[in-house]
Amino acid sequence: MAESGADAGTAEEAAREAVVEAALGRLDLDAKARLLGGRDMWSLHPLPEIGLASLVMSDGPVGVRGVRWTADDPSVALPSPTALAAAWDPALARRAGRLLAQEARRKGVHVLLAPTVNLHRSPLGGRHFEACSEDPLLTGAIGTGYVLGVQDGGVGTTVKHFVANDAETDRFTVDNRVAPRPLRELYLAPFEAVVENARPWGIMTAYNQVNGVTMTEHHELVNEVLRGEWGFDGVNVSDWMAARSTAGALRGGLDVAMPGPATVYGEPLAAAVRAGEVEESAVDTAVRRVLRLAARVGALEGAPPAVTEPPAPIDGDALAREIAHRGFVLVRNEAAVRDGHPVLPLAPGTTVALSGAAARDARVLGGGSAQVFPDHVVSPLDGLAAALPEGALTYAVGADPSDEPAPADKGFTLRARCRDAAGNLLGEGSLPTGQVQWIGGDLPDGVTHEALASVEVVGAFTPRETGAHSFGTRGLGAFVLSVGGETVFDGVQAMGSETDPFEAFFGSPVERAAVPLTAGETVEVSLLHTLDKEFAAPLPAVAFSLVHLGPRRDPDELIAEAVGAARAADTAVVVVATTERVESEGFDRADLRLPGRQDDLVRAVAAANPHTVVVVNAGSPVEMPWREDVAAVLLTWFPGQEGGAALADVLTGAEEPGGRLPTTWPAVLADAPVTDVVPVDGRLDYAEGPFIGHRAWDRSGRTPAYAFGHGLGYTTWSYDSLVTGPDRATVRITNTGGRPGRETVQIYLAPAPSSGAPERPARLLAGFASVEAGPGETVETGIALSRRAFEVWDEEKDDWTFVPGAYEVRAAHSLDDVRLTAVLEID
């Protein structure tokens, strides 16, 4: 590689700047204005006259989808960012970033729209699976590793969503009111860390307002803080359709308005310059940043790219599997023992009764723009079946997290046929599921939005079960649904009660017919959707779904089957999960309960078998009212395409669960200190100030189900010594168990009360390190202490203030499991 992903100042960087300036000088106003507005959904306009290729962007953060909503070009699907953060390892995040850069290069993508470094302010945030943590230091460290890795591969990032975009309710319009201190100490902090330590090539500004100013026009936070104080020299791109004002956006530091072709830039920007509303020099500044990005990623002729030789190829399947088990958090493993040992890892020869619909049909990704289409998914059932001896595993559905139809998937083979108003075939495209989601230019070859009048989803379905299968529609407009050659629905689906524009556009799934089918016998299916301008989306798009639900059986009967199997096995493993209707982009959660009868299933199985392991497949906290009644609880987040294989590794002991909680898990929602995500009159006050996450739990005096940083491994550790100074803590630990292991050493600072200083959290995460050791081995690690842990934002001085005095330095296994302490006096 010519340079690191941080794009350190070099002769190559100076050469790029020279090419950028020369290219800028050859552009007229119209060309410059055109470059700042998207060409289409995912790219910018090329400018051949200066050797500029079209810059292509793609959604992340767990994979690179590319510019098409199709499985024809599959993507590696990594575990969710909460899983990556749960590994507490920036070096692992960097490896993940390098893999994603490899995927981006393969797909012709220059810029990855990731990572998300917004905080888990409240457990109700619907999109938290796409962010990292409640803690700004941990989030900033993981985000830094991720950005360095992607840019190591010569691909840009857009760190998002700048800033205070911490919930989904009314996300397009909400005015989040945040005082200067929490804004600096919490919400800006991860962005600041990434800018300082990784020099990202892009930032994405959010939909929301902060303190009365929409983020795409926020001069203070973008121009003065991000660019001025922190020295960010990259591109500021809007979230999709977030830009609202031509002059306001340019003055506010927005460089690129996405998507195109109709944006507040382009022709409106050129007209605003000619009318004297904005200065052309401001346009030049924005264009210079875009050209700099193009130069860095190798899209500007004559400019040396930031990376001339990408890192060595990475095995995506292997890394996805490693990240999964490294992020799994074992929060309980001691309620039931056999021969004096915890239930996990499973003893050789153990028979296992597996239950839960989520064990068979795994949800490995969060919903919304993060979705990608891997070429395979290893479910928990697949993983355990491959790892256990023949005859050692049984499976029962037990309980399904969803009782409503979902996009047609298992057993379906589908294509989409596109026709014009005269019925002529324009083109065809394959579909990964029954969901059609074509936005902007993401259409089958030969198809245009102007000519497209109808889309017919056609194909075959081979059921896995005999019984009445439910079929239905999701979307807005006219539908004709046929199964087995018979029309079962012909009608119109109208607008529902959804409040988020995207969710309203996609609609809710509606059951249309129940058709008796026989397992293994294939039937033809089709869904014809006629487009109607009355239901047009806010941008050129086609979105609807053929939905399906398998035969409904008596829930009590299903649970009884799982109980019978559990009673006959040595160990019972129950997989529970959330669904896209619970955790997804576009809406927040109403509660933290598991959907369906999953809690009842766990209670019943645990009553039948004291050696019950519960695997929780959720992107963020859920209530677990049965947690004290089961032998073990393993949190797997959304574990990516290799999740089932990683689960088998951990349950059998081939690997240990390496994760620690990146976010506090409450026992019940009512205990959580911060739960307000619903604006009042368009405004959401962050009234809790600098106290969210574990800081707020300490202040409230309440005890969560599982504390920040908690997680169990398969070995034990003694903490032998702690030596600390103002910049660094050195910790020596010994693996006192019988197998190799990994420990995440966490350093917290507990400040003594200080007269004149504002109220501070009782303890702050100041640093951490991941350490490996074999049985009986002693290792020493030095951990840099964050200077910001000794500082507060002084709202009167409008600056950081160092707070001297006594600090207790705590070397800990988790926030609530402190192993060593030392007192540090700071003058």
Side-chain angles (χ1 to χ4, degrees):
M1 294 179 289
E3 301 178 23
S4 74
D7 194 22
T10 61
E12 287 84 358
E13 188 175 5
R16 276 196 298 277
E17 289 298 303
V19 175
V20 164
E21 290 302 321
L24 175 61
R26 292 157 54 196
L27 295 177
D28 62 20
L29 174 61
D30 292 311
K32 290 185 288 191
R34 186 166 66 254
L35 179 59
L36 301 183
R39 177 177 70 167
D40 52 29
M41 187 67 180
W42 303 112
S43 68
L44 301 187
H45 293 275
L47 297 177
E49 63 268 32
I50 59 168
L52 176 67
S54 174
L55 282 171
V56 178
M57 309 179 200
S58 173
D59 271 325
V62 300
V64 183
R65 189 171 62 244
V67 300
R68 302 289 290 270
W69 188 265
T70 175
D72 290 344
D73 184 13
S75 309
V76 174
L78 297 179
S80 64
T82 43
L84 189 60
W88 287 61
D89 188 349
L92 183 64
R94 189 166 189 167
R95 289 170 58 205
R98 287 183 169 188
L99 171 65
L100 294 171
Q102 175 179 296
E103 286 281 279
R105 292 193 308 271
R106 180 175 66 82
K107 294 189 173 219
V109 168
H110 301 104
V111 179
L112 189 61
L113 302 173
T116 299
V117 297
N118 300 115
L119 298 183
H120 296 181
R121 174 179 168 266
S122 158
L124 292 176
R127 200 179 180 182
H128 281 344
F129 59 84
E130 197 176 322
C132 293
S133 169
E134 68 188 24
D135 188 87
L137 186 141
L138 177 58
T139 298
I142 299 302
T144 292
Y146 185 107
V147 168
L148 286 172
V150 175
Q151 295 180 178
D152 282 344
V155 174
T157 57
T158 61
V159 188
K160 63 184 187 182
H161 309 83
F162 191 74
V163 63
N165 184 199
D166 312 300
E168 294 294 281
T169 304
D170 296 346
R171 61 179 174 153
F172 290 89
T173 57
V174 61
D175 180 11
N176 292 323
R177 295 285 176 150
V178 193
R181 185 183 170 203
L183 187 60
R184 291 283 188 159
E185 294 183 12
L186 292 175
Y187 305 103
L188 286 171
F191 291 94
E192 182 181 12
V194 175
V195 169
E196 178 181 354
N197 298 310
R199 287 193 68 195
W201 301 342
I203 291 278
M204 181 189 292
T205 42
Y207 292 119
N208 54 280
Q209 301 175 58
V210 172
N211 299 329
V213 182
T214 187
M215 279 309 306
T216 52
E217 302 172 28
H218 214 301
H219 174 85
E220 177 189 357
L221 292 180
V222 173
N223 288 331
E224 295 180 11
V225 176
L226 174 64
R227 297 194 188 280
E229 292 182 28
W230 302 348
F232 172 67
D233 69 350
V235 167
N236 174 15
V237 59
S238 73
D239 205 339
W240 266 226
M241 300 187 300
R244 299 167 175 85
S245 161
T246 298
L250 192 68
R251 294 192 190 106
L254 183 71
D255 299 320
V256 174
M258 290 296 289
T263 78
V264 299
Y265 286 167
E267 291 182 5
L269 179 57
V273 172
R274 292 185 173 108
E277 297 171 9
V278 294
E279 297 292 329
E280 186 169 357
S281 60
V283 176
D284 289 346
T285 299
V287 170
R288 181 178 292 111
R289 293 172 186 141
V290 175
L291 294 176
R292 180 181 297 137
L293 172 62
R296 284 169 165 166
V297 300
L300 181 61
E301 197 173 289
V307 174
T308 55
E309 184 180 340
I314 297 173
D315 184 329
D317 294 353
L319 183 57
R321 187 168 181 168
E322 180 185 351
I323 293 172
H325 74 71
R326 290 280 307 278
F328 288 173
V329 182
L330 183 62
V331 294
R332 180 177 175 83
N333 191 28
E334 58 189 356
V337 295
R338 180 182 285 113
D339 300 326
H341 297 287
V343 68
L344 292 180
L346 299 173
T350 299
T351 58
V352 175
L354 179 66
S355 61
R360 182 184 65 184
D361 299 321
R363 185 184 182 197
V364 300
L365 302 165
S369 61
Q371 188 169 4
V372 296
F373 304 106
D375 66 2
H376 67 274
V377 169
V378 182
S379 70
L381 177 57
D382 296 333
L384 283 170
L388 296 176
E390 187 174 349
L393 178 69
T394 62
Y395 173 70
V397 173
D400 197 316
S402 176
D403 61 356
E404 69 177 12
D409 190 0
K410 296 292 190 298
F412 287 85
T413 303
L414 302 169
R415 293 186 62 78
R417 293 176 180 163
C418 303
R419 292 184 170 86
D420 61 18
N424 300 309
L425 184 67
L426 299 173
E428 294 190 28
S430 63
L431 294 175
T433 68
Q435 181 175 355
V436 175
Q437 184 169 306
W438 299 328
I439 302 177
D442 181 12
L443 291 166
D445 291 340
V447 181
T448 66
H449 286 286
E450 293 74 20
L452 184 61
S454 69
V455 180
E456 185 178 16
V457 175
V458 297
F461 173 52
T462 305
R464 297 181 295 191
E465 301 166 282
T466 296
H469 287 253
S470 297
F471 294 84
T473 60
R474 184 182 185 190
L476 305 178
F479 294 96
V480 178
L481 173 63
S482 300
V483 180
E486 295 187 13
T487 298
V488 296
F489 174 73
D490 186 346
V492 175
Q493 184 166 337
M495 183 76 73
S497 59
E498 297 84 0
T499 56
D500 184 277
F502 278 91
E503 191 192 1
F505 174 52
F506 290 123
S508 299
V510 179
E511 185 177 340
R512 301 300 184 184
V515 181
L517 299 175
T518 303
E521 294 186 6
T522 301
V523 295
E524 300 299 311
V525 295
S526 73
L527 178 64
L528 174 64
H529 176 47
T530 303
L531 305 184
D532 188 334
K533 292 183 179 179
E534 177 186 348
F535 301 113
L539 73 167
V542 179
F544 68 96
S545 298
L546 166 64
V547 296
H548 166 263
L549 181 67
R552 291 181 174 91
R553 292 181 53 198
D554 179 77
D556 292 328
E557 183 180 303
L558 290 175
I559 291 174
E561 287 181 1
V563 166
R567 192 174 284 122
D570 297 326
T571 300
V573 177
V574 185
V575 180
V576 297
T578 60
T579 70
E580 283 200 17
R581 304 289 284 169
V582 174
E583 286 186 275
S584 186
E585 180 178 354
F587 55 87
D588 290 313
R589 299 160 73 182
D591 56 57
L592 302 183
R593 294 191 296 271
L594 286 168
R597 294 284 301 278
Q598 295 182 104
D599 286 336
D600 293 338
L601 171 64
V602 173
R603 290 189 183 98
V605 169
N609 189 328
H611 306 104
T612 293
V613 178
V614 182
V615 177
V616 181
N617 188 184
S620 51
V622 296
E623 293 177 1
M624 300 181 289
W626 32 259
R627 68 187 187 282
E628 300 293 338
D629 302 324
V630 301
V633 179
L634 182 69
L635 311 180
T636 62
W637 317 102
F638 297 143
Q641 66 180 47
E642 305 296 326
L647 176 63
D649 290 340
V650 166
L651 295 185
T652 61
E655 302 285 355
E656 73 169 348
R660 304 293 183 262
L661 284 180
T663 290
T664 308
W665 277 48
V668 293
L669 175 60
D671 288 346
V674 180
T675 59
D676 187 10
V677 295
V678 179
V680 176
D681 296 328
R683 171 173 167 162
L684 181 63
D685 289 300
Y686 284 36
E688 67 281 350
F691 296 93
I692 66 168
H694 56 88
R695 307 167 184 226
W697 282 93
D698 277 346
R699 192 185 193 207
S700 72
R702 301 169 192 162
T703 302
Y706 300 109
F708 178 77
H710 173 66
L712 308 172
Y714 286 160
T715 189
T716 54
W717 300 87
S718 69
Y719 279 54
D720 306 325
S721 67
L722 166 64
V723 178
T724 188
D727 304 315
R728 192 174 188 83
T730 301
V731 182
R732 180 176 296 163
I733 66 174
T734 300
N735 181 347
T736 56
R739 57 173 287 159
R742 180 187 297 271
E743 174 72 337
T744 298
V745 180
Q746 302 162 39
I747 301 294
Y748 296 91
L749 289 187
S754 177
S755 61
E759 181 187 5
R760 288 185 286 171
R763 46 194 167 176
L764 291 164
L765 180 68
F768 60 91
S770 187
V771 176
E772 291 183 275
E777 184 181 357
T778 297
V779 292
E780 186 174 277
T781 182
I783 302 173
L785 301 183
S786 167
R787 179 176 174 82
R788 285 289 158 79
F790 298 95
E791 296 178 325
V792 297
W793 182 260
D794 189 318
E795 294 184 348
E796 291 186 4
K797 295 180 180 178
D798 197 33
D799 201 357
W800 292 101
T801 296
F802 192 81
V803 182
Y807 290 82
E808 186 175 78
V809 182
R810 300 173 178 176
H813 173 78
S814 67
L815 186 77
D816 63 351
D817 185 1
V818 176
R819 303 294 179 88
L820 295 172
T821 63
V823 175
L824 181 64
E825 292 283 349
I826 300 292
D827 296 328

